[in-house]
Amino acid sequence: MAQGEIIITPVSGKADKKAFVDVTYRLNADDPNWVPPLRMEAEELITPGKNPFFEHADVQLFLARRAGAVVGRISAHIDKLAIAMDPSQGMGPGTGNWGLLEAEDEAVAQALIGKAEDWLRAKGMTRVLAPLSMSIWEEPGQLVKGFDHPPTVMMGHQPKRYDDYINALGYQPAKTLNCFDLDITNEFPPLIQRIIQSGEKNAKIRIRNVDKSKFEQEAALILDILNDAWSDNWGFVPFSDAEIQYAGKKFKPIVREDLIMIAEYEGEPVAFMMTLPDLNEVLKPMGGNLFPFNWTKLLLWLRNPKVRTMRVPLMGVRKRLQSSRLASQLAFMMIETIRRTSVEQYGSTRAEIGWILDDNQGMNAIAEAINSQINKTYVIYDKAL
């Protein structure tokens, strides 16, 4: 372990901001399964005026230095939408967060987490849920299973040692989030096929693609269903209008009409399933940089993406239908439609579904019914301040 005093300072100015971004590339460079994010996106994430999270959150970034060299970073934040939620859903008054942790060693991690806790405590917080980088909708949780393969798009990947550091500081698991691996080259079990076929014969049910020519309207529709479907879930924080617009703009380049389904029942949109080609497969060799030549490679890939893996980051059924047989039938129908398309049009062989809360009985039952297996697990930790 390196020796010397660790000095933690708030990020201030362009040089500090650049150092905050740069340190993650240095500390993870030797991990063969880490996927370097695009630097422009890493900078956008921590920039007020670009990331709408800052419109409803107080955020402070910190850098750790030892002998003048940057050896770690952390963010501390208080989401005003999250602390307005009912405490029974995980967040609520007095709950702050930290995230974006990178640390050269345990002493650095302890100093950074301690500084984040002090900042939250000074702001009147009495509890911390972490890590969240930075919203619950971005990269929640510390990876605890699945270190041996790269994450899919929009999922985090942290060293195992970070989990050891967090546990050593008295944090306790609050929630477990699982991702499921699915071989999509195989048909689903006969019972699931019969459920799908029954739905296909039901004139009241329509499974349709999104219409990209009406992108803003379709995005707003999906997020309306999402906010309703997830409103009782642990950790739920509603999207703001600005975040809806931001998400639409961010996803638009990788949105494919035939990979995002909307389910209608008697003419009313009641469910959706979003699937994204795994952008990480093309980003990984780029090292976080688009220039000078990676920009062209990315544009060519976006025109005709061929990927091994598809990721299903979001799925939702309107709350009033969630306890019905119709809900699972619509889910199976959307999954099967996208399964066929992924294999036939994109050459995909596997899908990753998640994250899914470990106590979400409905979604876990669906994942089990189609023979998927947990391949990655993340934990969000809790600690009283």
Side-chain angles (χ1 to χ4, degrees), residues 331-366:
F332 290 135
M333 291 175 71
M334 290 188 290
I335 293 170
E336 172 61 7
T337 301
I338 293 176
R339 184 194 71 80
R340 294 172 188 164
T341 300
S342 298
V343 173
E344 295 169 5
Q345 301 299 322
Y346 298 90
S348 302
T349 59
R350 67 178 289 265
E352 186 174 282
I353 303 172
W355 47 269
I356 297 173
L357 292 169
D358 65 338
D359 56 1
N360 185 332
Q361 295 181 358
M363 284 305 304
N364 282 291
I366 288 172

Side-chain angles (χ1 to χ4, degrees), residues 80-94:
K80 297 171 186 176
L81 296 180
I83 63 176
M85 299 302 293
D86 189 316
S88 65
Q89 289 182 251
M91 299 290 190

Side-chain angles (χ1 to χ4, degrees), residues 249-383:
K249 180 180 178 182
K250 187 174 181 178
F251 287 136
K252 191 171 184 178
I254 58 173
V255 164
R256 312 293 292 187
E257 289 182 324
D258 53 0
L259 292 176
I260 301 182
M261 300 288 110
I262 292 176
E264 298 177 353
Y265 185 72
E266 296 184 330
E268 178 193 359
V270 293
F272 79 95
M273 177 177 167
M274 174 184 288
T275 303
L276 300 173
D278 184 18
L279 183 63
N280 279 3
E281 290 182 17
V282 69
L283 290 184
K284 193 172 188 303
M286 294 185 179
N289 296 305
L290 285 179
F291 298 100
F293 305 114
N294 288 334
W295 182 259
T296 302
K297 294 177 183 178
L298 180 59
L299 285 177
L300 289 173
W301 182 84
L302 288 170
R303 289 179 184 175
N304 185 29
K306 298 293 182 181
V307 289
R308 172 175 174 257
T309 302
M310 291 288 178
R311 183 185 170 213
V312 181
L314 292 172
M315 178 187 286
V317 180
R318 288 204 181 273
K319 189 161 42 177
R320 71 175 191 274
L321 298 177
Q322 287 177 1
S323 298
S324 68
R325 292 183 180 181
L326 177 63
S328 57
Q329 184 174 47
L330 295 176
F332 290 135
M333 291 175 71
M334 290 188 290
I335 293 170
E336 172 61 7
T337 301
I338 293 176
R339 184 194 71 80
R340 294 172 188 164
T341 300
S342 298
V343 173
E344 295 169 5
Q345 301 299 322
Y346 298 90
S348 302
T349 59
R350 67 178 289 265
E352 186 174 282
I353 303 172
W355 47 269
I356 297 173
L357 292 169
D358 65 338
D359 56 1
N360 185 332
Q361 295 181 358
M363 284 305 304
N364 282 291
I366 288 172
E368 181 179 350
I370 57 177
N371 293 332
S372 60
Q373 304 292 325
I374 294 174
N375 71 312
K376 280 189 182 288
T377 299
Y378 299 81
V379 173
I380 297 176
Y381 288 96
D382 188 354
K383 183 180 178 181

Side-chain angles (χ1 to χ4, degrees), residues 56 78-97 125 231 236-238:
H56 56 83
I78 301 168
D79 185 343
K80 297 171 186 176
L81 296 180
I83 63 176
M85 299 302 293
D86 189 316
S88 65
Q89 289 182 251
M91 299 290 190
T95 302
N97 315 107
M125 298 298 102
S231 60
F236 173 77
V237 178

Side-chain angles (χ1 to χ4, degrees), residues 53 58 75-80 82-83 90-99 116-117 119-121 123-132 134 171 380-385:
F53 178 72
D58 292 331
S75 63
H77 27 95
I78 301 168
D79 185 343
K80 297 171 186 176
I83 63 176
M91 299 290 190
T95 302
N97 315 107
W98 57 256
E117 291 174 352
W119 185 85
L120 292 170
R121 197 177 290 112
K123 293 282 186 178
M125 298 298 102
T126 57
R127 173 174 176 254
V128 58
L129 281 176
L132 297 181
M134 287 187 285
Y171 282 80
I380 297 176
Y381 288 96
D382 188 354
K383 183 180 178 181
L385 292 176

